[in-house]
PDB file of all heavy atoms in Angstrom:
ATOM      1  N   LEU A 997     -18.533 -40.793 -30.295  1.00 80.00           N
ATOM      2  CA  LEU A 997     -18.075 -39.505 -29.583  1.00 80.00           C
ATOM      3  C   LEU A 997     -17.004 -39.893 -28.600  1.00 80.00           C
ATOM      4  O   LEU A 997     -16.012 -39.206 -28.447  1.00 80.00           O
ATOM      5  CB  LEU A 997     -19.261 -38.853 -28.965  1.00 80.00           C
ATOM      6  CG  LEU A 997     -18.919 -37.560 -28.116  1.00 80.00           C
ATOM      7  CD1 LEU A 997     -18.319 -36.494 -29.102  1.00 80.00           C
ATOM      8  CD2 LEU A 997     -20.142 -36.992 -27.460  1.00 80.00           C
ATOM      9  N   LYS A 998     -17.194 -40.923 -27.848  1.00 83.00           N
ATOM     10  CA  LYS A 998     -16.215 -41.407 -26.864  1.00 83.00           C
ATOM     11  C   LYS A 998     -14.887 -41.778 -27.581  1.00 83.00           C
ATOM     12  O   LYS A 998     -13.761 -41.383 -27.204  1.00 83.00           O
ATOM     13  CB  LYS A 998     -16.671 -42.582 -26.109  1.00 83.00           C
ATOM     14  CG  LYS A 998     -17.819 -42.233 -25.154  1.00 83.00           C
ATOM     15  CD  LYS A 998     -18.315 -43.509 -24.382  1.00 83.00           C
ATOM     16  CE  LYS A 998     -19.375 -43.172 -23.387  1.00 83.00           C
ATOM     17  NZ  LYS A 998     -19.915 -44.319 -22.743  1.00 83.00           N
ATOM     18  N   ASP A 999     -14.937 -42.459 -28.712  1.00 82.00           N
ATOM     19  CA  ASP A 999     -13.767 -42.827 -29.422  1.00 82.00           C
ATOM     20  C   ASP A 999     -13.062 -41.562 -29.923  1.00 82.00           C
ATOM     21  O   ASP A 999     -11.824 -41.497 -29.881  1.00 82.00           O
ATOM     22  CB  ASP A 999     -14.164 -43.818 -30.546  1.00 82.00           C
ATOM     23  CG  ASP A 999     -14.620 -45.186 -30.097  1.00 82.00           C
ATOM     24  OD1 ASP A 999     -14.392 -45.443 -29.028  1.00 82.00           O
ATOM     25  OD2 ASP A 999     -15.307 -45.818 -30.921  1.00 82.00           O
ATOM     26  N   PHE A1000     -13.865 -40.646 -30.504  1.00 80.00           N
ATOM     27  CA  PHE A1000     -13.309 -39.416 -30.973  1.00 80.00           C
ATOM     28  C   PHE A1000     -12.585 -38.645 -29.904  1.00 80.00           C
ATOM     29  O   PHE A1000     -11.427 -38.127 -30.082  1.00 80.00           O
ATOM     30  CB  PHE A1000     -14.407 -38.583 -31.647  1.00 80.00           C
ATOM     31  CG  PHE A1000     -13.918 -37.258 -32.183  1.00 80.00           C
ATOM     32  CD1 PHE A1000     -13.178 -37.145 -33.276  1.00 80.00           C
ATOM     33  CD2 PHE A1000     -14.312 -36.057 -31.520  1.00 80.00           C
ATOM     34  CE1 PHE A1000     -12.804 -35.957 -33.864  1.00 80.00           C
ATOM     35  CE2 PHE A1000     -13.885 -34.869 -31.969  1.00 80.00           C
ATOM     36  CZ  PHE A1000     -13.115 -34.796 -33.093  1.00 80.00           C
ATOM     37  N   LEU A1001     -13.262 -38.390 -28.727  1.00 79.00           N
ATOM     38  CA  LEU A1001     -12.704 -37.697 -27.692  1.00 79.00           C
ATOM     39  C   LEU A1001     -11.434 -38.479 -27.068  1.00 79.00           C
ATOM     40  O   LEU A1001     -10.508 -37.858 -26.660  1.00 79.00           O
ATOM     41  CB  LEU A1001     -13.692 -37.521 -26.520  1.00 79.00           C
ATOM     42  CG  LEU A1001     -14.871 -36.622 -26.909  1.00 79.00           C
ATOM     43  CD1 LEU A1001     -15.730 -36.411 -25.727  1.00 79.00           C
ATOM     44  CD2 LEU A1001     -14.346 -35.158 -27.323  1.00 79.00           C
ATOM     45  N   SER A1002     -11.560 -39.803 -27.116  1.00 82.00           N
ATOM     46  CA  SER A1002     -10.426 -40.604 -26.653  1.00 82.00           C
ATOM     47  C   SER A1002      -9.170 -40.381 -27.585  1.00 82.00           C
ATOM     48  O   SER A1002      -8.051 -40.270 -27.074  1.00 82.00           O
ATOM     49  CB  SER A1002     -10.788 -41.996 -26.589  1.00 82.00           C
ATOM     50  OG  SER A1002      -9.651 -42.834 -26.221  1.00 82.00           O
ATOM     51  N   ALA A1003      -9.439 -40.421 -28.924  1.00 81.00           N
ATOM     52  CA  ALA A1003      -8.413 -40.165 -29.830  1.00 81.00           C
ATOM     53  C   ALA A1003      -7.723 -38.782 -29.693  1.00 81.00           C
ATOM     54  O   ALA A1003      -6.469 -38.684 -29.709  1.00 81.00           O
ATOM     55  CB  ALA A1003      -8.812 -40.407 -31.265  1.00 81.00           C
ATOM     56  N   ILE A1004      -8.598 -37.783 -29.526  1.00 82.00           N
ATOM     57  CA  ILE A1004      -8.071 -36.407 -29.260  1.00 82.00           C
ATOM     58  C   ILE A1004      -7.242 -36.374 -27.977  1.00 82.00           C
ATOM     59  O   ILE A1004      -6.264 -35.710 -27.804  1.00 82.00           O
ATOM     60  CB  ILE A1004      -9.167 -35.425 -29.256  1.00 82.00           C
ATOM     61  CG1 ILE A1004      -9.800 -35.338 -30.669  1.00 82.00           C
ATOM     62  CG2 ILE A1004      -8.746 -34.026 -28.961  1.00 82.00           C
ATOM     63  CD1 ILE A1004     -10.977 -34.383 -30.795  1.00 82.00           C
ATOM     64  N   GLN A1005      -7.783 -37.083 -26.936  1.00 84.00           N
ATOM     65  CA  GLN A1005      -7.187 -37.012 -25.648  1.00 84.00           C
ATOM     66  C   GLN A1005      -5.691 -37.610 -25.725  1.00 84.00           C
ATOM     67  O   GLN A1005      -4.850 -37.133 -24.998  1.00 84.00           O
ATOM     68  CB  GLN A1005      -8.047 -37.829 -24.635  1.00 84.00           C
ATOM     69  CG  GLN A1005      -7.640 -37.546 -23.233  1.00 84.00           C
ATOM     70  CD  GLN A1005      -7.940 -36.116 -22.743  1.00 84.00           C
ATOM     71  OE1 GLN A1005      -7.165 -35.280 -22.631  1.00 84.00           O
ATOM     72  NE2 GLN A1005      -9.279 -35.918 -22.450  1.00 84.00           N
ATOM     73  N   SER A1006      -5.492 -38.611 -26.512  1.00 81.00           N
ATOM     74  CA  SER A1006      -4.174 -39.273 -26.618  1.00 81.00           C
ATOM     75  C   SER A1006      -3.364 -38.600 -27.676  1.00 81.00           C
ATOM     76  O   SER A1006      -2.209 -39.033 -27.932  1.00 81.00           O
ATOM     77  CB  SER A1006      -4.378 -40.741 -26.935  1.00 81.00           C
ATOM     78  OG  SER A1006      -5.125 -40.934 -28.282  1.00 81.00           O
ATOM     79  N   SER A1007      -3.813 -37.597 -28.263  1.00 83.00           N
ATOM     80  CA  SER A1007      -2.997 -36.851 -29.341  1.00 83.00           C
ATOM     81  C   SER A1007      -1.848 -36.175 -28.668  1.00 83.00           C
ATOM     82  O   SER A1007      -2.018 -35.525 -27.545  1.00 83.00           O
ATOM     83  CB  SER A1007      -3.959 -35.857 -30.149  1.00 83.00           C
ATOM     84  OG  SER A1007      -3.054 -35.087 -30.887  1.00 83.00           O
ATOM     85  N   PRO A1008      -0.719 -36.194 -29.299  1.00 85.00           N
ATOM     86  CA  PRO A1008       0.420 -35.356 -28.810  1.00 85.00           C
ATOM     87  C   PRO A1008       0.252 -33.866 -28.856  1.00 85.00           C
ATOM     88  O   PRO A1008       0.935 -33.097 -28.288  1.00 85.00           O
ATOM     89  CB  PRO A1008       1.609 -35.877 -29.608  1.00 85.00           C
ATOM     90  CG  PRO A1008       0.988 -36.257 -30.936  1.00 85.00           C
ATOM     91  CD  PRO A1008      -0.337 -36.832 -30.579  1.00 85.00           C
ATOM     92  N   ASN A1009      -0.754 -33.471 -29.664  1.00 90.00           N
ATOM     93  CA  ASN A1009      -1.065 -32.014 -29.808  1.00 90.00           C
ATOM     94  C   ASN A1009      -2.243 -31.638 -28.902  1.00 90.00           C
ATOM     95  O   ASN A1009      -3.099 -32.507 -28.656  1.00 90.00           O
ATOM     96  CB  ASN A1009      -1.374 -31.716 -31.372  1.00 90.00           C
ATOM     97  CG  ASN A1009      -0.136 -31.844 -32.214  1.00 90.00           C
ATOM     98  OD1 ASN A1009       0.989 -31.767 -31.773  1.00 90.00           O
ATOM     99  ND2 ASN A1009      -0.369 -32.261 -33.408  1.00 90.00           N
ATOM    100  N   GLY A1010      -2.276 -30.399 -28.487  1.00 92.00           N
ATOM    101  CA  GLY A1010      -3.324 -29.960 -27.667  1.00 92.00           C
ATOM    102  C   GLY A1010      -4.575 -29.446 -28.507  1.00 92.00           C
ATOM    103  O   GLY A1010      -4.376 -28.884 -29.520  1.00 92.00           O
ATOM    104  N   VAL A1011      -5.769 -29.622 -27.942  1.00 92.00           N
ATOM    105  CA  VAL A1011      -6.982 -29.240 -28.633  1.00 92.00           C
ATOM    106  C   VAL A1011      -7.832 -28.498 -27.622  1.00 92.00           C
ATOM    107  O   VAL A1011      -8.108 -29.021 -26.540  1.00 92.00           O
ATOM    108  CB  VAL A1011      -7.805 -30.385 -29.162  1.00 92.00           C
ATOM    109  CG1 VAL A1011      -9.106 -29.843 -29.997  1.00 92.00           C
ATOM    110  CG2 VAL A1011      -6.936 -31.177 -30.260  1.00 92.00           C
ATOM    111  N   VAL A1012      -8.191 -27.200 -27.914  1.00 93.00           N
ATOM    112  CA  VAL A1012      -9.124 -26.440 -27.133  1.00 93.00           C
ATOM    113  C   VAL A1012     -10.335 -26.002 -27.898  1.00 93.00           C
ATOM    114  O   VAL A1012     -10.090 -25.370 -29.062  1.00 93.00           O
ATOM    115  CB  VAL A1012      -8.378 -25.253 -26.471  1.00 93.00           C
ATOM    116  CG1 VAL A1012      -9.417 -24.492 -25.523  1.00 93.00           C
ATOM    117  CG2 VAL A1012      -7.145 -25.635 -25.732  1.00 93.00           C
TER     118      VAL A1012
END
Side-chain angles (χ1 to χ4, degrees):
L997 179 60
K998 289 179 181 178
D999 293 342
F1000 177 73
L1001 293 178
S1002 177
I1004 297 180
Q1005 195 67 259
S1006 60
S1007 171
N1009 296 330
V1011 179
V1012 183

